[in-house]
Amino acid sequence: MTERSGFLFCADPLRASRPDPQFAGDVAAARAAGGRIALLDHDALLAGDAAGAVARVARDSGPYWYRGWMIPSARYAELETALGARGCTLLTDAVDYRRAHELPGWYEEFDALTPRSVWCAMVPGAPPPSAEELAGLAAPLGPGPGIVKDFVKSRKHEWHEACYVRELGDRRHLASVVGRFVELQGDFLAGGLVLRAFEPFVAGGEARVWWVDGEAVLVTAHPDTPDRHPSPELPSVREAVGRLGLRWVTTDLALREDGVWRVVEVGDGQVSGLPAGAGTGDLFTALAAAEAR
């Protein structure tokens, strides 16, 4: 019988010998599925001490799925290197993590299913593009409202201040929203700036679909709307996930006002959030049974 895959969970910041309580349900599901458990010091990894972050991982004990808090793509690459020095591997390598985690990596395969988007690279602390540069960036989207985000996250809770642009052709307003977004993101700006065409969705909440090796193994509510459970149509999304070719990803789907299901976001499943109370037995059984490639 093939040995089951391992799971690398974040350790409790207050007690490094046990998993972070935030992921207690996931740890229980992984153990029930026969998965091996190892612990990562997430704080040390973010501070640049990747070797220290994996010091509790037994040598030659991989491969592992990571499951925990979000990791910037560059830090994830350092995690992969540090685990490699201990004879361990990640089932999602650093290249594939970035492709799922950052919009430019997955957009081409989903371009017919998701709002039109344009982007430019930026580093944290850099000034935002000028109004003229932003107008040029936004031009392919045409007139109409838009959304501002970085390669990973938006600031939808500051909707009118740092997310929603009522008219992309209004240079002054676009520059104002982008400037505020960049200011609020600060050192947490991920990858660069993204502008997306705004699409109106019905108020039924988003569905989060969990895919393992191209199969939808779990459909949950979105963590922001845990009491709403839409049932999205998946055939076209399954085809796009297949084209993307990544092993563990999530897709967030919302129903547009014209009755068409749209992909709002794609993410790496290792760092995607679960709504409270979601049963994850099927998900972790699929992950534990996945073989290294």
Side-chain angles (χ1 to χ4, degrees):
M1 179 177 175
T2 303
E3 184 179 11
R4 298 224 142 190
S5 299
F7 294 88
L8 182 60
F9 284 98
C10 291
D12 186 339
L14 302 179
R15 190 171 168 184
S17 62
R18 68 182 183 187
D20 190 319
Q22 183 67 34
F23 299 97
D26 289 358
V27 172
R31 284 179 170 149
R36 294 166 287 105
I37 305 300
L39 298 179
L40 166 76
D41 185 333
H42 186 261
D43 290 342
L45 179 64
L46 295 193
D49 181 14
V54 300
R56 288 180 171 271
V57 179
R59 293 184 180 276
D60 303 313
S61 60
Y64 288 102
W65 297 110
Y66 169 68
R67 179 63 182 155
W69 301 113
M70 195 171 289
I71 301 174
S73 297
R75 293 296 189 209
Y76 191 92
E78 293 169 3
L79 170 63
E80 181 180 38
T81 299
L83 284 172
R86 300 184 71 82
C88 300
T89 59
L90 287 163
L91 287 160
T92 295
D93 66 25
V95 172
D96 284 352
Y97 176 79
R98 183 184 290 270
R99 286 185 64 210
H101 188 55
E102 299 183 356
L103 181 143
W106 56 261
Y107 180 80
E108 182 177 355
E109 285 77 15
F110 288 84
D111 62 350
L113 306 175
T114 195
R116 290 175 298 129
S117 304
V118 292
W119 57 84
C120 64
M122 280 186 66
V123 296
S130 67
E132 183 176 353
E133 290 169 332
L134 288 171
L137 180 65
L141 301 181
I147 297 294
V148 175
K149 64 188 297 293
D150 64 19
F151 284 8
V152 177
K153 288 284 190 180
S154 69
R155 298 196 67 94
K156 61 185 178 183
H157 298 297
E158 294 95 8
W159 181 253
H160 291 289
E161 179 184 3
C163 185
Y164 178 69
V165 181
R166 60 181 176 262
E167 172 49 63
L168 288 167
D170 183 340
R171 294 189 177 193
R172 179 177 295 182
H173 186 235
L174 174 59
S176 174
V177 175
V178 168
R180 184 60 173 152
F181 171 80
V182 170
E183 177 187 1
L184 290 173
Q185 285 295 86
D187 292 340
F188 296 100
L189 185 97
L193 179 70
V194 176
L195 302 180
R196 310 198 78 188
F198 174 79
E199 296 186 3
F201 299 115
V202 302
E206 295 177 15
R208 177 160 287 178
V209 185
W210 301 74
W211 305 83
V212 178
D213 288 336
E215 294 299 322
V217 298
L218 181 66
V219 180
T220 69
H222 190 279
D224 290 346
T225 52
D227 58 331
R228 300 176 182 177
H229 298 271
S231 298
E233 298 171 0
L234 297 181
S236 60
V237 183
R238 180 178 287 106
E239 292 176 4
V241 170
R243 291 193 298 271
L244 188 63
L246 303 183
R247 302 203 64 188
W248 182 13
V249 297
T250 56
T251 53
D252 293 346
L253 284 83
L255 186 62
R256 201 166 58 190
E257 288 183 352
D258 62 0
V260 176
W261 284 98
R262 300 288 280 167
V263 175
V264 179
E265 200 71 64
V266 176
D268 181 272
Q270 302 177 116
V271 297
S272 296
L274 279 158
T280 58
D282 290 345
L283 172 62
F284 280 90
T285 295
L287 291 167
E291 296 182 1
R293 290 180 179 175

